[in-house]
Amino acid sequence: MGLSGAGCLHLIPNQWRNRDHSTRLNWQEHPINWRRIGALVIDWLAIAAFDTVYFVLVKHFNWPLPHDFRWLYLADIILFFIGPAWCWHGKTIGGRLLNSQIVTISGHQANLWQLLIHYSGLYLIGLPLLFLDLWLFNRLGNVPSATLNRLDVYLVVVSVILLIISYDLLLALFSRSHQLWCEKLSRTTVK
């Protein structure tokens, strides 16, 4: 088996064989942006804890807080993303813990407009499109056939846009050099 592997080495071009094949990984050269993923997970865990307390207070203790949870979604974005990033120079709670921050392309502190564009693209366009897609899909089962044709077109359009945004997000999470569409629009990057 080893001899056949050695024999196959001659089939591999020289420029591929002469690359560094060391087993040591340098975290800066590693393609997966673990700090960005970790900061995102920490931020969403903080949101989950906050929302759980909110639901318990509203549902079980009848606190006089709004029962329309759409405002809570906006409050989460402001309290856990835009607010901390603006006050802490581009860092959210997870960003502070893992030293990950949003900066301008030139490396300076992002201003409020840039933070609003950045987070609005993610959480006011991307995530609501997912919910719209699920809602449209659920509606397919109980509508008349005349409405079904329009609903199919809407579902396909929303699904294609969502697929493009999801692909962009995956590229950003697993590549240190890729910028999300909303980062390009806001001229920011995650450092």
Side-chain angles (χ1 to χ4, degrees):
M1 190 69 163
L3 289 175
S4 63
C8 288
L9 276 177
H10 293 294
L11 301 174
I12 299 173
N14 280 339
Q15 67 263 22
W16 292 356
R17 277 191 281 152
N18 294 333
R19 286 192 179 165
D20 179 21
H21 296 289
S22 67
T23 56
R24 281 185 70 191
L25 285 177
N26 182 350
W27 72 271
Q28 293 172 331
E29 295 172 3
H30 199 275
I32 298 176
N33 196 340
W34 290 111
R35 286 190 316 176
R36 185 174 191 168
I37 294 170
L40 188 63
V41 168
I42 290 169
D43 290 335
W44 277 102
L45 286 174
I47 288 172
F50 176 79
D51 288 353
T52 301
V53 169
Y54 185 88
F55 287 132
V56 167
L57 292 176
V58 169
K59 295 288 186 181
H60 297 292
F61 294 105
N62 295 323
W63 277 36
L65 297 171
H67 290 272
D68 183 6
F69 298 112
R70 289 177 291 194
W71 85 267
L72 182 61
Y73 179 73
L74 291 174
D76 286 341
I77 294 168
I78 293 168
L79 290 173
F80 291 95
F81 293 110
I82 296 172
W86 186 42
C87 293
W88 295 333
H89 308 290
K91 293 183 178 183
T92 59
I93 295 167
R96 284 181 68 97
L97 293 174
L98 297 178
N99 197 26
S100 175
Q101 72 183 114
I102 296 173
V103 294
T104 63
I105 293 174
S106 60
H108 296 93
Q109 179 180 342
N111 62 37
L112 183 59
W113 262 126
Q114 290 172 310
L115 293 172
L116 284 171
I117 293 169
H118 177 89
Y119 287 117
S120 294
L122 290 172
Y123 299 112
L124 296 179
I125 294 174
L127 205 53
L129 275 175
L130 174 64
F131 297 131
L132 177 62
D133 194 56
L134 294 172
W135 181 81
L136 287 169
F137 188 73
N138 284 333
R139 294 275 317 236
L140 286 177
N142 46 351
V143 293
S145 62
T147 309
L148 188 61
N149 291 335
R150 272 192 318 228
L151 209 54
D152 283 341
V153 171
Y154 297 151
L155 182 63
V156 168
V157 169
V158 170
S159 295
V160 167
I161 294 170
L162 191 60
L163 182 65
I164 293 168
I165 290 173
S166 300
Y167 179 71
D168 190 44
L169 180 64
L170 284 174
L171 284 177
L173 291 177
F174 294 103
S175 169
R176 292 187 183 274
S177 60
H178 182 78
Q179 283 184 293
L180 290 168
W181 68 273
C182 55
E183 291 173 341
K184 289 177 184 173
L185 189 62
S186 65
R187 303 192 46 78
T188 59
T189 188
V190 176
K191 176 175 90 166

